Amino acid sequence: MKSEWRVSSNPIGPGEFLYCVYRIRDIEKIDHSGNREIFDSYISRDIAEMKASELNRKEKP
């Protein structure tokens, strides 16, 4: 079973971050790069969080 969409941050320079929208492919396994499904990356945390929320709303039954 997959997790909800989430946002992670990765530093790319002094004071700069890249925000990735991702979800865990199998919630029974640990979180690592091979168990993540990446939707896209953004330079704005707000935009990344809005996209994750949108994806989660679309997938609700």
Side-chain angles (χ1 to χ4, degrees):
M1 179 174 188
K2 296 178 181 180
S3 75
E4 73 281 356
W5 291 98
R6 305 171 180 178
V7 175
S8 69
S9 62
N10 297 300
I12 57 172
E16 296 181 279
F17 291 87
L18 185 64
Y19 301 95
C20 295
V21 176
Y22 77 99
R23 67 179 168 186
I24 308 250
R25 294 178 192 266
D26 184 348
I27 60 172
E28 299 296 320
K29 296 182 180 176
I30 62 169
D31 181 6
H32 61 84
S33 61
N35 192 25
R36 283 188 175 194
E37 178 180 350
I38 306 293
F39 178 77
D40 208 349
S41 299
Y42 303 90
I43 54 172
S44 166
R45 181 179 201 82
D46 290 337
I47 293 173
E49 288 177 351
M50 285 190 305
K51 183 47 103 172
S53 293
E54 176 187 329
L55 291 168
N56 286 325
R57 277 193 309 276
K58 286 182 178 180
E59 293 187 356
K60 270 193 173 174

